[in-house]
Amino acid sequence: MGIDDVTEMWDRVTGTQQAPAVWLVIATGLVALAVVGIRGSWRFARNAVTIAHEGGHALMALLTGRQLQGIRLHSDTSGLTVSRGKPTGLGMVLTAAAGYTAPPLLGLGGAWLLQSGRITALLWGTTALLLALLVMVRNAYGVLSVVATGSVFILVSWLTPGEVQALFAYAVVWFLLLGGARPVFELQARRRRDRGRVPAVPGAAGTAGAPDSDADQLARLTNVPPLGWLLFFHAVALCSLVGGGSWLLGL
């Protein structure tokens, strides 16, 4: 690959592309809403939200100086990220809090990129993040999930026209904004159903079932009740949806 090819590729990534018409943006949002709202499609698509969730735990663990041990993604759409370090303190709190907030915040960041016209940057950036995450996945189903998701982004980025790439990018961002909110409601429902105690894994965070969920782990770490953390997760998801949706619609 010559210098001209590298320059052309860089210009393609950093350049801007034409956004779809507003009615198409609304249509992609309705499609994402249907995927999130329908039980059958959600059970399949939720794997993508779990990838973002565990990626949030992993990134925050690295940023706070913890040693990342690995990530596991399961066929029931649960996941687990294990890191080594001090079992209490700010680093562990931030790592545990990063899971449920990661999908909506990623959606918000994606909406900012799209309102700037950087569709290619979003697609290629997401692919790069998935490749980085793949290195830390420690089970076969997790590898399959990340490879399959990354392959979709690669195929769309390289084999489809710009109009299709734009629609796909908007649908993905809508999905993260909407899909980032539903797991918090699911966690709230699980906590009502299951009041038993499951031993915690030191340094672990993920989409585990209640009462060893992220909210319960955070409650033990901070003495803030789980309801307080649930409200925090809800607030992040709602603010991201409102802000990101406004950007996507050009308001």
Side-chain angles (χ1 to χ4, degrees):
M1 181 180 291
I3 299 226
D4 291 340
D5 295 328
V6 173
T7 302
E8 181 182 354
M9 183 176 296
W10 178 252
D11 290 340
R12 181 180 175 188
V13 173
T14 58
T16 59
Q17 295 78 39
Q18 183 67 38
V22 175
W23 74 269
L24 287 173
V25 174
I26 295 173
T28 58
L30 292 175
V31 170
L33 180 61
V35 171
V36 172
I38 298 173
R39 182 186 298 269
S41 59
W42 173 243
R43 289 189 63 181
F44 175 77
R46 198 185 191 285
N47 285 284
V49 175
T50 302
I51 291 173
H53 180 116
E54 301 305 329
H57 285 312
L59 177 60
M60 189 55 68
L62 293 174
L63 291 177
T64 55
R66 299 181 63 81
Q67 182 179 353
L68 186 60
Q69 300 279 278
I71 299 169
R72 301 182 70 86
L73 306 170
H74 306 128
S75 58
D76 62 355
T77 72
S78 67
L80 183 68
T81 299
V82 179
S83 58
R84 178 181 296 173
K86 189 177 178 182
T88 59
L90 182 61
M92 189 61 204
V93 171
L94 292 175
T95 298
Y100 281 97
T101 57
L105 290 178
L106 283 172
L108 183 64
W112 178 80
L113 284 175
L114 292 183
Q115 64 89 27
S116 304
R118 289 177 169 81
I119 295 170
T120 302
L122 183 140
L123 295 176
W124 288 29
T126 303
T127 305
L129 289 175
L130 288 169
L131 289 174
L133 183 70
L134 182 62
V135 176
M136 295 308 301
V137 177
R138 295 292 181 261
N139 66 320
Y141 183 83
V143 171
L144 178 62
S145 296
V146 176
V147 168
T149 305
S151 298
V152 173
F153 277 87
I154 292 173
L155 291 174
V156 171
S157 300
W158 286 96
L159 301 180
T160 63
E163 295 82 0
V164 175
Q165 292 180 26
L167 293 176
F168 176 76
Y170 274 81
V172 166
V173 171
W174 276 121
F175 173 75
L176 286 172
L177 291 171
L178 294 165
R182 178 163 178 173
V184 186
F185 288 101
E186 293 176 339
L187 173 59
Q188 195 170 351
R190 285 201 306 272
R191 292 196 75 260
R192 284 198 301 265
R193 291 195 306 264
D194 184 3
R195 297 295 182 180
R197 177 63 61 181
V198 181
V201 179
T207 51
D212 200 36
S213 66
D214 293 355
D216 292 273
Q217 291 188 45
L218 285 164
R220 293 192 290 272
L221 289 167
T222 64
N223 292 323
V224 175
L227 178 60
W229 286 105
L230 283 170
L231 292 174
F232 171 70
F233 295 153
H234 279 302
V236 171
L238 178 61
C239 291
S240 297
L241 178 58
V242 172
S246 298
W247 274 333
L248 293 177
L249 296 171
L251 300 179

